[in-house]
Amino acid sequence: MQKYRCIPCGYIYDPEVGDPDGGIAPGTAFEDIPEDWVCPVCGVSKDMFEPEE
């Protein structure tokens, strides 16, 4: 699964890990995260992420 990087802070969302503290279970694709989810490090919205190369 594709990883995504937060443009402002560099946090990497890894679908294999998810964001348990944010209520996102491991194995959740970035596309399946709710639109109101925010970066757990800097708090920006999901639209501030880009695919990680």
Side-chain angles (χ1 to χ4, degrees):
M1 281 193 270
Q2 176 73 53
K3 295 180 183 180
Y4 282 77
R5 181 176 63 86
C6 179
I7 297 166
C9 78
Y11 167 79
I12 303 294
Y13 174 77
D14 183 346
E16 292 183 13
V17 176
D19 176 21
D21 292 340
I24 308 300
T28 303
F30 188 79
E31 295 79 13
D32 296 334
I33 297 173
E35 291 303 316
D36 62 353
W37 177 81
V38 296
C39 176
V41 175
C42 70
V44 298
S45 62
K46 189 177 163 186
D47 64 354
M48 294 295 292
F49 280 73
E50 64 184 7
E52 175 74 356
E53 295 299 323

